[in-house]
Amino acid sequence: MYIPPINQVTDLGEIVDFIQRFSFGTIISVVNGRQVATHLPFISHLNNNKIVLRAHFAKANEQWKHLEAQESLVIFQEPHAYISPKYYEKEQNVPTWNYMTVHLYGQARLIETLEETKAILEESINFFEQEYKKQWDGLSEAYKLNMMQGIVAFDMEISEIQAKKKISQNRSEKEKAQIAQALSQSTSTHEQLIGEYMKK
């Protein structure tokens, strides 16, 4: 990903916060010479200052069969906003787009045991909806086993991080304040989020 120095994010804590907040990512790998992508909810954590991702495929999605033989790319991208030149002090300007995204490269490891698969599912429950855990605990083991046999879980230790935050860093303080204020008042959730990050 092309990242001008002014837009590069290197703070690991900020990157992890972002991918945990916008956790529905896209995993991309190559199958028979062609890029293939699947959209998945990921859970993530730091292990010895390395990001580790966990998720699962439907077993019928054959992309999982190609994971361990190659490096994969996972993209997290959520908030973005059109930026009108009307907020700039000089008339000679053009529109642009503000956005934030993280690209993570790593080698996936398929989970082979039902015990570890169950642990990943329960970690996902605890992250996305803790209240569901009581209902999950009440499900029969036969039902859980049948469900787990239809998925393939994996984890991925990240070897390279590319993180970009393009939120008008190159504009004047007055322009940034005007843009952030306008976006914060938008009816678009994406624009509101970009405004929120700009104000930070």
Side-chain angles (χ1 to χ4, degrees):
M1 172 170 56
Y2 168 66
I3 310 177
I6 196 172
N7 302 129
Q8 187 171 25
V9 182
T10 58
D11 183 272
L12 196 55
E14 182 179 358
I15 292 167
V16 172
D17 286 345
F18 181 84
I19 64 177
Q20 288 181 342
R21 184 175 187 181
F22 304 106
S23 54
F24 193 67
T26 304
I27 183 168
I28 301 167
S29 49
V30 177
V31 178
N32 298 325
R34 188 180 188 190
Q35 295 85 0
V36 174
T38 298
H39 308 278
L40 299 173
F42 286 84
I43 48 177
S44 56
H45 66 275
L46 284 175
N47 182 19
N48 295 322
N49 283 324
K50 288 256 188 175
I51 297 174
V52 177
L53 302 178
R54 290 181 177 150
H56 65 269
F57 285 92
K59 186 172 282 187
N61 179 350
E62 295 193 353
Q63 185 180 352
W64 66 266
K65 294 181 179 180
H66 304 268
L67 289 188
E68 290 189 316
Q70 62 185 281
E71 181 181 64
S72 294
L73 165 63
V74 181
I75 298 176
F76 295 93
Q77 181 174 341
E78 193 74 23
H80 57 87
Y82 170 82
I83 306 300
S84 170
K86 69 184 178 182
Y87 300 115
Y88 298 151
E89 296 175 270
K90 296 180 180 179
E91 184 176 344
Q92 193 165 316
N93 270 294
V94 294
T96 189
W97 214 274
N98 278 1
Y99 62 93
M100 299 171 66
T101 188
V102 174
H103 290 193
L104 301 177
Y105 294 85
Q107 187 74 38
R109 176 184 70 96
L110 298 180
I111 304 304
E112 297 181 354
T113 68
L114 287 174
E115 182 179 3
E116 197 172 357
T117 298
K118 184 178 179 182
I120 289 178
L121 291 178
E122 292 186 345
E123 188 177 356
S124 297
I125 291 168
N126 288 330
F127 181 77
F128 291 110
E129 188 186 9
Q130 289 184 348
E131 294 82 2
Y132 174 68
K133 185 63 164 55
K134 183 177 180 181
Q135 182 177 337
W136 167 262
D137 290 340
L139 300 176
S140 71
E141 290 304 314
Y143 177 86
K144 293 178 185 176
L145 176 61
N146 184 62
M147 188 269 299
M148 286 189 287
Q149 288 175 336
I151 66 173
V152 177
F154 67 95
D155 62 21
M156 179 188 298
E157 184 175 275
I158 301 308
S159 56
E160 182 180 347
I161 301 170
Q162 298 177 0
K164 184 174 185 177
K165 179 166 60 177
K166 183 180 177 293
I167 52 173
S168 302
Q169 295 99 318
N170 61 327
R171 309 309 306 191
S172 70
E173 291 303 317
K174 180 180 178 181
E175 290 170 337
K176 286 189 283 190
Q178 289 179 163
I179 294 168
Q181 184 63 25
L183 294 179
S184 298
Q185 295 174 346
S186 171
T187 57
S188 163
T189 301
H190 284 292
E191 293 180 355
Q192 290 171 11
L193 287 168
I194 289 293
E196 172 191 321
Y197 277 105
M198 289 183 70
K199 288 181 177 181
K200 287 181 180 179

